[in-house]
Amino acid sequence: MEEFNLHLTGDIHAITAANNLVAAAIDARMFHELTQSDQALYNRLVPSVNGVRKFSDIQIRRLQKLGINKTDPMALTKEEVNAFVRLDIDPGTITWQRVLDTNDRFLRKITIGQSATEKGFSRTAQFDITVSSEIMAVLALADGLDDMKKRFGRMVVASSKKGQPVTADDLGVTGALAVLMKDTVKPNLMQTLEGTPVFVHAGPFANIAHGNSSVLADKIALKLVGKDGFVVTEAGFGADIGMEKFFNIKCRYSGLRPHVVVLVATVRALKMHGGGPAVTAGVPLPKEYTEENLQLVAKGCSNLNKQIQNARMFGVPVVVAVNAFKTDTKAELALVVQHAKEAGAFDAVECTHWAEGGKGALALARAVQRASQAPNNFRFLYNVELPIVDKIRLIAQQVYGARDIELLPEAQEKVALYTKQGFGNLPICMAKTHLSLSHDPEQKGAPTGFVLPIRDIRASVGAGFLYPLVGTMSTMPGLPTRPCFYDIDLDPVSGEVNGLF
């Protein structure tokens, strides 16, 4: 468990290194273009080695992209040399940030390039947490090394001053990324406390990315269990986010189709959706969550009902797993089971696996087994060929319950830009709070009639989706007043790690 929560096989470090290589390449390229002539750039980008000049493979791809069908470096005209050496990145359009796997709030906004050696070419930038890197999302959606490498090449890091997308391939860094990431495509095989095999692979952010484990892990697991076996794969955050993205993004790219949705519910969460008091980390729970309150549970089931409807909208049978806490009463648990069945769940089952391990989830397993034999008419929510705005509106209205959407000026500009750049047919990955079906974390239950504001839209072209920003998203966590590092220590004699849990 310590290894799992520390470095494991180093995937996170490889992603950090690969991401920051791209960031370094962007700034270095801008610096060199600003300080050198076309010919000087060309001489350095295509140097003479032992009297021979030769384009690398990735440079040939750039020439082909520019419509220059030449392989002899001496044959390019001045105009072609200019087009080849000048990415002409507009600094205001750079979307690629540096990352770090440490919660450091003071890196949320920084100034880079302040050394005298950078000759005054400074700009404002930021660090994000490593899991928010597009490289993590690419790893999770790739189905092998070749596909991963192609996705790396398509990653858009900025636009040129003429409005053309600038990719990792344009920077010449794709092959190096593949080398840094070559071992990360292998899923990490672990096990539960009872010995059940588990693949741990990839962890893309569940708001600005799709929040699902890797396609590769799913495919390998399916191969291992055989045609009669079962693979359970997780989608992060609430079903309105994780499940919707699992269906519309992950299933679309993987070609896999789920047999059953297991929707996890707790009495405590439903009480919150029923109007229970706010919960603050580190502060004891209000009594409403530890004492029987059937009225709060019943009211909060409106959220569960909506999530069941959402799952059924995709044509997949739903089994509700009611995850029991020791403070839940039999009446509360029975009420949730009753509401779930009335809302259209194939079955709803009380689960005590936290206390009893696998034994406490036997009834759930049997329910899933039965549900897997039920009719399954899986379908996507939208056709990717629809206009960007129409796809966003469908998700907002059908999944969240919104009346309509409102695109703020910046989002409107991005719709026009991405459509012009040829990215309008990508799936949509909504970056929204997980604390409500709406954009407002305070709106619990199943709100309706609201207008969903879209602040901005960004593109993860390599991963293969556009992500509209609904409200403000923090991509770099900060440390609290008392971080958990106060309790973590290493016994130098035994090598045992203490206080990690």
Side-chain angles (χ1 to χ4, degrees), residues 22-23 25-27 29-30 33 62 65 87-97 123 134 152-171 414 417-418 421 423 458-462:
V22 177
I26 294 167
D27 287 301
R29 186 58 176 263
M30 287 196 300
E33 287 188 25
R62 172 151 175 79
K65 179 180 176 180
L87 298 182
D88 204 23
I89 293 171
D90 179 353
T93 66
I94 295 172
T95 54
W96 196 271
Q97 307 296 346
R123 67 181 182 91
E134 184 177 349
F152 286 159
R154 295 196 297 266
M155 295 187 305
V156 174
V157 301
S159 293
S160 71
K161 290 173 183 173
K162 291 181 180 178
Q164 296 300 312
V166 177
T167 67
D169 235 28
D170 292 324
L171 287 167
K414 292 295 180 61
L417 174 67
Y418 294 143
Q421 291 181 336
F423 306 138
R458 295 178 189 165
S460 287
V461 179

Side-chain angles (χ1 to χ4, degrees), residues 174-456:
T174 305
L177 296 180
V179 171
L180 283 170
M181 292 287 291
K182 67 182 180 66
D183 292 324
T184 67
V185 295
K186 303 167 187 173
N188 306 294
L189 179 61
M190 302 191 77
Q191 62 182 326
T192 68
L193 292 172
E194 296 182 358
T196 301
V198 177
F199 280 129
V200 177
H201 198 218
F205 239 34
N207 46 28
I208 67 168
H210 61 296
N212 284 253
S213 56
S214 78
V215 168
L216 270 171
D218 287 356
K219 287 188 173 182
I220 294 171
L222 285 165
K223 183 178 179 181
L224 290 173
V225 301
K227 64 183 180 68
D228 296 322
F230 285 79
V231 174
V232 180
T233 189
E234 185 186 12
F237 280 175
D240 53 299
I241 301 180
M243 180 185 71
E244 182 271 315
K245 294 175 183 181
F246 174 85
F247 288 146
N248 284 320
I249 298 175
K250 187 177 178 183
C251 289
R252 202 182 295 267
Y253 283 122
S254 70
L256 299 176
R257 301 292 181 262
H259 291 81
V260 185
V261 169
V262 177
L263 198 60
V264 181
T266 67
V267 166
R268 287 182 181 179
L270 294 174
K271 283 180 176 180
M272 179 172 280
H273 277 293
V279 174
T280 305
V283 176
L285 283 172
K287 62 180 178 61
E288 286 84 354
Y289 298 108
T290 57
E291 297 176 4
E292 184 173 285
N293 192 321
L294 297 175
Q295 186 178 358
L296 273 184
V297 175
K299 191 176 177 185
C301 278
S302 62
N303 183 273
L304 176 61
N305 295 353
K306 174 60 177 164
Q307 302 288 22
I308 293 170
Q309 291 169 21
N310 285 345
R312 295 186 69 202
M313 179 170 59
F314 289 93
V316 184
V318 186
V319 173
V320 173
V322 187
N323 189 8
F325 284 61
K326 64 179 182 180
T327 54
D328 299 340
T329 67
K330 286 293 180 185
E332 288 174 331
L333 294 166
L335 186 59
V336 177
V337 168
Q338 176 191 334
H339 270 278
K341 290 179 178 178
E342 290 173 355
F346 177 88
D347 203 353
V349 183
E350 179 187 335
C351 307
T352 55
H353 49 276
W354 190 89
E356 299 181 286
K359 177 186 173 184
L362 275 173
L364 173 62
R366 294 188 184 108
V368 168
Q369 220 170 9
R370 292 193 303 272
S372 70
Q373 305 303 316
N376 186 320
N377 301 300
F378 176 76
R379 54 190 172 270
F380 298 120
L381 178 64
Y382 55 80
N383 186 324
V384 289
E385 300 299 327
L386 286 173
I388 295 170
V389 174
D390 290 357
K391 288 182 282 194
I392 297 172
R393 183 177 286 112
L394 272 170
I395 295 171
Q397 292 178 334
Q398 299 296 316
V399 179
Y400 305 156
R403 177 170 55 83
D404 204 353
I405 60 173
E406 178 189 11
L407 268 68
L408 302 184
E410 199 167 355
Q412 293 174 16
E413 291 171 11
K414 292 295 180 61
V415 168
L417 174 67
Y418 294 143
T419 302
K420 179 183 175 184
Q421 291 181 336
F423 306 138
N425 62 347
L426 291 175
I428 300 298
C429 182
M430 300 290 279
K432 181 186 77 72
T433 178
H434 60 290
L435 299 172
S436 170
L437 281 162
S438 76
H439 57 285
D440 180 0
E442 300 303 316
Q443 280 198 305
K444 303 301 183 184
T448 56
F450 58 92
V451 175
L452 193 77
I454 309 299
R455 180 172 61 84
D456 193 5

